[in-house]
Amino acid sequence: MKKILAVIMVMMLAIGLAGCAPKEKEANAAAPAPESTNEAAAPAPEAAPEKLVIKVGTDDAYPPFEYHEEATNELIGFDVDFAKALAEEMGVEIEYVPTAWDGIFNGVNTGQYDMIISCVSITPDRIEGFGMTNPYLSNGIVIVSAADGEQATSIDQLDGKKVGVQLETTADIAAKKFIADGTDISLSQFDSVMEAFAALKGGSIEYILVDSSVGGFYISTDPESFNITSGLLSNEPIGICMAKENTELLEKVNAGIKALQDSGKMTEISQKWFSADFATNIDAEIKVIE
């Protein structure tokens, strides 16, 4: 009897366990899947578009337009401040390519850089051979005399004198024209304007033919050594030079120059470097000596 009862109890227990299994599975199936603890990653912010880089050829030994500050070797000057303002106005980046002046125009024609910002006088020859912007600064050639020497006020007074110029500048071209016309000039050509002023200060030459703005800068920094002693011998306003076919860039740069002039930024930069405003009311009539 006890055996029969035990068998019955075992059978009932097995039936009970079998009945529980499907319910467990159903409960497990009905249970919601655990939520993920990781939130969906936010989309990465879009990278800012890269600015167009414009390569600029410059003679970096031509103060006060572009030269290296002695203590830091930083490139500074009127043209450097102007180029920064122009780049900001146009939304581009500037990359400088230091280039000796006597080869600077070849570089823009061969594509070494996109344009020249380096106190480039606007002349008929350059207008014909290159793309020249509207002027951004007044300029002309003057005679600089040693402060303790004879003060030359005209070309005639250079007859029989030692005169220095920077090679391949409009002052160099003008000096050769004076010689061809009969003025007996002993001409010294220097690779940089800094060398010319050092020679004048040292006494190896007696005069310099140079851009009026450059002469003014040297006199302001060393009035005991130099004087501008003539009026303007020419009228050669300054512009930016680029390859003739680069008309789209020329148009954009001209628009940028006008915007800087209209905003007063050009006047501000001129006042900083020359203590005068040479950047507005520019006489655009070209009068060169060649």
Side-chain angles (χ1 to χ4, degrees), residues 134-271:
N134 297 328
Y136 62 86
L137 196 73
S138 299
N139 185 58
I141 297 171
V142 293
I143 300 172
V144 174
S145 304
D148 59 357
E150 184 180 343
Q151 308 294 286
T153 59
S154 67
I155 298 303
D156 292 343
Q157 291 176 300
L158 300 183
D159 195 72
K161 305 298 183 180
K162 298 176 182 177
V163 178
V165 295
Q166 184 178 0
L167 184 67
E168 296 296 327
T169 60
T170 54
D172 184 19
I173 295 168
K176 291 173 183 174
K177 171 65 173 174
F178 299 145
I179 293 170
D181 288 345
T183 305
D184 183 20
I185 292 174
S186 176
L187 186 63
S188 295
Q189 297 165 299
F190 297 91
D191 289 332
S192 75
V193 74
M194 300 169 75
E195 293 173 328
F197 275 90
L200 181 58
K201 189 170 183 176
S204 61
I205 59 175
E206 298 164 278
Y207 304 100
I208 295 175
L209 291 173
V210 71
D211 290 326
S212 55
S213 48
V214 175
F217 172 77
Y218 273 90
I219 290 165
S220 69
T221 57
D222 193 356
E224 295 182 359
S225 298
F226 312 113
N227 281 330
I228 291 178
T229 53
S230 76
L232 289 175
L233 305 177
S234 63
N235 188 57
E236 306 167 7
I238 304 302
I240 296 175
C241 176
M242 59 195 72
K244 189 77 171 179
E245 65 274 11
N246 208 345
T247 54
E248 184 178 351
L249 179 60
L250 180 66
E251 184 177 337
K252 290 179 179 177
V253 172
N254 271 331
I257 291 172
K258 186 177 187 307
L260 294 176
Q261 289 170 332
D262 291 347
S263 70
K265 185 65 177 179
M266 293 304 301
T267 297
E268 176 189 326
I269 299 171
S270 180
Q271 290 283 0

